[in-house]
Amino acid sequence: MSAIPATSVANLRDLGGLPLASGRAVRHGLVLRSGQLDRLDPVEPAVAGLGVRTVVDFRTESERTARPDRLPAGARALVADVLADRLSVSGLPPAARLRTLLSDPALAEEELGGGRVRAAFARTYRTFVSGAAARVAYRSFLTELGSPDAGPVLFHCSAGKDRTGWATVVVLSLLGADEETTRTEYLAVNTAVRQAYAPMIEGFTAQGGDPQLALDLIGVLPEYLEAALDEVAVRHGSMEAYVREGLGVPETVTELIRERLTVTGA
């Protein structure tokens, strides 16, 4: 899988080419991921050439309002708010508050210092699996991927690492990627995310913020993913059962996803 060198979209990647079981691979150009699209230039060649038909937005309402997407030409938006029910329960988790936390080192330390940031992200990842809004959101996403006339689909959250990262893991698992391939893709976004957030990290540390806390906020770690995978195992036993029973995606849709998104060879 290769990063796409767009200047107006952070962390833009095509899942195409990733190896799958039985000598197959993810088909190029049909399933793409990124960070938010608030600065997207629809005429930038790297973007326009993708022919995106649907943009799936995993962000909260407040995130969408603060930084609304700019859609590629001819694309439609599908809102799939993974954390829609979190604010009324326990407040938005760090995944949806990166900019706020990175702009206020004192707040970040108060809420997440002393190693608490990692525990907070682990809880959030478990919510990706078991939360009511998350189940609806990821079901909508997979249903879109399984639509015969879907065309290229671009999915994203704010940084394109957590909500988007879990969506990527689910898709690759359904398509038959092994654990190493899936984990490598999940972690591969760290470089791009750190580059995108570099000015904020520098400002955070310049104000006395803990550099490790900043890195734990804007990066992804294996233990975050392990929390979600453990939630799947405990609640459903397997990724297939999670998609079928937890998300309510019929096997017919899953088979359509595999048919659309895979090809023999790279």
Side-chain angles (χ1 to χ4, degrees):
M1 205 260 351
S2 58
I4 298 173
T7 59
S8 65
V9 183
N11 201 12
L12 179 60
R13 301 169 70 84
D14 181 355
L15 299 187
L18 284 174
L20 306 171
S22 303
R24 299 185 68 78
V26 181
R27 193 183 299 272
H28 285 282
L30 285 184
V31 57
L32 308 115
R33 59 180 293 188
S34 74
Q36 61 198 17
L37 306 182
D38 59 312
R39 297 188 301 132
L40 177 141
D41 179 358
V43 300
E44 181 182 1
V47 174
L50 298 174
V52 172
R53 293 275 298 279
T54 304
V55 171
V56 180
D57 189 343
F58 292 134
R59 296 178 301 167
T60 63
E61 182 179 5
S62 61
E63 290 173 292
R64 299 192 307 271
T65 300
R67 296 177 179 273
D69 275 352
R70 301 182 66 186
L71 296 179
R76 70 180 182 91
L78 175 61
V79 173
D81 186 343
V82 171
L83 299 171
D85 53 357
R86 290 290 88 192
L87 183 59
S88 61
V89 176
S90 58
L92 290 177
R97 301 169 58 219
L98 290 179
R99 291 181 180 277
T100 298
L101 292 166
L102 286 173
S103 66
D104 190 338
L107 176 65
E109 183 64 32
E110 177 185 350
E111 294 190 9
L112 299 169
R116 287 175 291 165
V117 60
R118 297 191 179 192
F121 269 98
R123 289 193 299 272
T124 300
Y125 272 69
R126 290 184 182 277
T127 297
F128 294 165
V129 176
S130 58
R135 293 197 301 269
V136 172
Y138 290 123
R139 178 171 65 244
S140 297
F141 168 59
L142 292 177
T143 299
E144 182 66 24
L145 285 184
S147 175
D149 58 350
V153 174
L154 170 62
F155 59 101
H156 75 90
C157 49
S158 287
K161 69 184 186 77
D162 297 306
R163 288 161 285 186
T164 298
W166 178 243
T168 301
V169 169
V170 173
V171 171
L172 292 179
S173 298
L174 288 180
L175 296 182
D178 62 25
E179 182 178 327
E180 181 180 357
T181 298
T182 301
R183 187 182 300 271
T184 298
E185 167 56 23
Y186 169 76
L187 295 172
V189 302
N190 274 325
T191 299
V193 173
R194 288 175 181 176
Q195 289 175 346
Y197 280 83
M200 297 198 73
I201 296 172
E202 292 173 4
F204 183 86
T205 55
Q207 296 176 70
D210 179 359
Q212 189 59 55
L213 174 54
L215 291 176
D216 287 349
L217 272 170
I218 60 91
V220 291
L221 299 175
E223 63 197 76
Y224 300 167
L225 177 57
E226 287 302 325
L229 294 174
D230 181 68
E231 191 77 1
V232 167
V234 169
R235 288 179 176 269
H236 304 287
S238 69
M239 188 66 77
E240 290 75 13
Y242 157 66
V243 170
R244 184 178 62 252
E245 301 164 5
L247 302 185
V249 177
E251 183 63 30
T252 52
V253 174
T254 301
E255 287 303 319
L256 283 171
I257 292 173
R258 291 178 178 133
E259 180 180 332
R260 286 192 65 240
L261 300 185
T262 65
V263 63
T264 301

